[in-house]
Amino acid sequence: MLRYVVYTRVSTEDQGKSGLGLEAQERDIGIFLEKFSGVPYETIGRFQDIQSGGNNDRPALAKALAMVRKTGAELLVAKLDRLSRKVSFISALMDDPKVKLRVAQMPQADKFQLHIYAALAEQERTFISERTKAALGMAKERGVKLGGMRDATMKRNAAIQVKADAEAAKVMKVIKPMTEAGASLSHVARTLQEMGIGTSRGGKWTAMQVSRVIERSRP
């Protein structure tokens, strides 16, 4: 029988009290258990932290991992960033032979795919932050005052473009090696879907969307 230890996390005490974020995590975990888990299975433990994902000193996670190591059960999280936002922390867990990890939103992903996704997510956060700073700095140099309703709209639009560019750059880390190896756009789209990498609007990958990302990434 398959056994799972469920771990959920929210970032602030307010989120923990209100349930904000927890409902979505529980929903995704429920979908995984119902649609993607082998059967029979049982959930032998549930743990929850109310703490930042950048802080690796989390008591509930430590208890969940101790149970996983002791029982051989799989650690089940809704999203990879609920486990940690640091790729080094996730990599260390993946290297632990006593820890088996399952991510509800990426039900078919293996360790290699999870590692790539963690690295890309960390890189994306850094890239978006730096690109946003650069875009706002250039606007300021052109004499744009970053204040008021009109300027707020400009800031928002600039941030949207920066985010779109960053997402395209991130996904190209996966797309480029596959297309260079001769994979069709349809095959690339299916692979992205299976890896749980969402499109910029959260939709399903198609060959056309893959093509648009490639075009956007060209200098």
Side-chain angles (χ1 to χ4, degrees):
M1 176 181 290
L2 289 171
R3 292 179 295 175
Y4 297 105
V5 174
V6 173
Y7 175 73
T8 55
R9 179 185 64 79
V10 287
S11 298
T12 67
E13 186 176 356
D14 288 339
Q15 284 181 316
K17 289 179 179 178
S18 69
L20 186 64
L22 289 176
E23 183 178 347
Q25 291 179 61
E26 292 292 350
R27 176 203 63 207
D28 290 348
I29 287 169
I31 292 172
F32 171 84
L33 292 173
E34 181 181 351
K35 301 293 185 180
F36 297 98
S37 174
V39 291
Y41 71 83
E42 64 175 331
T43 301
I44 64 173
R46 286 182 173 270
F47 299 88
Q48 177 192 315
D49 275 313
I50 304 172
Q51 219 162 345
S52 168
N55 184 353
N56 293 335
D57 184 19
R58 283 172 274 153
L61 178 57
K63 292 177 182 178
L65 290 170
M67 180 176 286
V68 165
R69 292 184 178 110
K70 181 179 180 180
T71 63
E74 297 185 30
L75 182 67
L76 176 59
V77 296
K79 293 179 63 178
L80 201 55
D81 66 4
R82 297 302 86 192
L83 185 60
S84 178
R85 292 185 180 277
K86 296 181 179 179
V87 66
S88 58
F89 182 81
I90 294 173
S91 296
L93 283 184
M94 291 180 182
D95 288 338
D96 189 332
K98 293 186 177 180
V99 174
K100 299 176 182 178
L101 176 62
R102 283 283 186 170
V103 179
Q105 289 192 4
M106 303 172 66
Q108 308 299 336
D110 57 23
K111 282 188 175 183
F112 177 70
Q113 291 172 325
L114 291 175
H115 185 90
I116 290 177
Y117 189 80
L120 291 175
E122 183 176 86
Q123 188 178 76
E124 177 190 26
R125 287 190 295 273
T126 302
F127 190 69
I128 288 176
S129 176
E130 293 303 318
R131 284 288 298 274
T132 300
K133 291 177 184 177
L136 295 178
M138 290 174 65
K140 189 174 182 179
E141 289 178 0
R142 293 196 301 269
V144 177
K145 294 181 180 180
L146 301 178
M149 185 64 71
R150 182 178 177 182
D151 294 331
T153 301
M154 292 177 66
K155 279 180 68 175
R156 184 174 65 251
N157 291 341
I160 291 172
Q161 291 301 314
V162 167
K163 185 175 185 296
D165 289 342
E167 288 177 346
K170 177 189 72 173
V171 178
M172 279 302 295
K173 299 288 187 180
V174 178
I175 294 175
K176 187 176 180 181
M178 295 182 68
T179 54
E180 289 180 345
S184 68
L185 296 183
S186 296
H187 178 75
V188 173
R190 287 195 301 272
T191 300
L192 291 172
Q193 201 68 31
E194 291 171 358
M195 289 178 68
I197 300 175
T199 66
S200 59
R201 297 186 178 182
K204 187 175 181 180
W205 281 101
T206 64
M208 178 60 71
Q209 286 172 314
V210 173
S211 177
R212 287 172 180 167
V213 170
I214 293 173
E215 288 297 323
R216 188 180 191 96
S217 301
R218 286 175 177 166

